Amino acid sequence: MNKEYLKNIYALLEKLEKTQENTIDQVASVCAEAISHGGLLYFFGTGHSHMICEEPFYRAGGLACVYPILETDLMLHEGASKSSGYERLEGLGNVVIANTSIGKGDVLFIASNSGRNCAVIDAAMEAKKRGAITVAITSMNHTTQVASRHSSGLNLFQVCDYVLDNGGELGDASVELAGLGQKIAPTSSVIDITLVNLIVVNTVELLLQKGMMPPVFMSANTDAGDEANECVLEIYKGKIPSL
């Protein structure tokens, strides 16, 4: 078995632990404060990054106050090439955010490895106008080597309040094989999901320290799951349409 990909992931996890701890603590504190005052955690991404939005949503052991912004035109199952075109359209991200209830006291996570496309940049700008705190999940190595496609000339990390760096390389793919000019095996999804779950763990821990019972889902595939989840679903169904 070729183990280069495993070695790359191990190295990135070690890098994450060494370089992202302070930002993770800061973002978790912001999230705990938001949740304790009735706020929601919003997640937005285009293309493959929409998977990062689905990861914390309606998840066993996850927070119930997660609002995934799943715009079908920006997701691959509605047409991969089409989604690439739409994510480059300036103004679309503003419309997507305007069609949510995001506002002051909420937190918006935006996942984009390159951070260069208009939809995510507009989404961050619009959310900030509405008073939300914004968190970029990106690759600083990648985004600092590519030009913005937005008229502002800015990339995502330059318009967000906090930046979580997944440490990935330019182009995302990480394994080089003899005879193939293109690298394979991207790393962003694995590390981004790890970052999100670290935020959840630390946010829940802070809420407990505040004396608040965190709104956490139990697996619906356990005998006690449906009954345990009924209370949190009752609270958030009216706030999160996807529930």
Side-chain angles (χ1 to χ4, degrees):
M1 182 176 77
N2 186 320
K3 297 184 180 181
E4 185 179 351
Y5 184 66
L6 286 174
K7 291 177 182 177
N8 292 340
I9 295 298
Y10 294 152
L12 287 172
L13 288 172
E14 288 180 0
K15 183 178 179 180
L16 181 160
E17 185 176 9
K18 291 176 181 177
T19 66
Q20 300 304 296
E21 183 175 357
N22 288 339
T23 307
I24 288 169
D25 287 343
Q26 291 169 7
V27 172
S29 180
V30 166
C31 291
E33 187 68 14
I35 295 167
S36 66
H37 289 92
L40 299 176
L41 308 184
Y42 289 76
F43 286 79
F44 178 61
T46 67
H48 284 95
S49 291
H50 91 266
M51 294 187 294
I52 313 306
C53 307
E54 292 192 49
E55 167 63 22
F57 175 62
Y58 196 55
R59 192 66 188 264
L63 287 162
C65 51
V66 167
Y67 188 130
I69 303 173
L70 303 174
E71 181 60 41
T72 55
D73 284 336
L74 295 168
M75 296 164 69
L76 301 178
H77 70 282
E78 290 290 333
S81 299
K82 183 179 74 171
S83 72
S84 291
Y86 275 133
E87 71 179 0
R88 300 182 185 189
L89 287 179
E90 196 158 337
L92 179 58
N94 303 75
V95 175
V96 171
I97 295 300
N99 278 276
T100 71
S101 56
I102 196 168
K104 186 176 181 181
D106 296 317
V107 182
L108 173 63
F109 290 82
I110 307 172
S112 174
N113 206 54
S114 73
R116 72 186 306 203
N117 289 311
C118 295
V120 293
I121 296 166
D122 280 333
M125 290 178 169
E126 185 66 26
K128 290 182 77 171
K129 285 180 186 177
R130 294 169 180 267
I133 294 170
T134 54
V135 183
I137 305 176
T138 192
S139 165
M140 289 302 295
N141 192 23
H142 187 141
T143 193
T144 55
Q145 296 188 65
V146 295
S148 173
R149 290 187 169 121
H150 193 271
S151 62
S152 68
L154 301 174
N155 282 346
L156 180 64
F157 77 98
Q158 295 169 300
V159 298
C160 286
D161 299 303
Y162 298 92
V163 178
L164 291 166
D165 180 13
N166 65 35
E169 59 185 271
L170 177 67
D172 201 7
S174 65
V175 175
E176 190 170 4
L177 297 177
L180 183 66
Q182 167 67 46
K183 288 185 178 182
I184 59 174
T187 62
S188 59
S189 297
V190 175
I191 306 302
D192 288 357
I193 285 173
T194 300
L195 283 166
V196 167
N197 281 309
L198 281 168
I199 295 293
V200 170
V201 169
N202 285 275
T203 298
V204 169
E205 186 175 46
L206 288 171
L207 289 171
L208 289 169
Q209 290 172 6
K210 288 173 176 283
M212 177 181 174
M213 184 56 63
V216 174
F217 281 122
M218 182 182 290
S219 172
N221 292 312
T222 61
D223 291 340
D226 288 346
E227 184 177 353
N229 293 335
E230 188 175 340
C231 292
V232 287
L233 283 171
E234 188 67 26
I235 294 169
Y236 291 105
K237 264 191 173 180
K239 299 179 180 180
I240 302 172
S242 299
L243 282 175

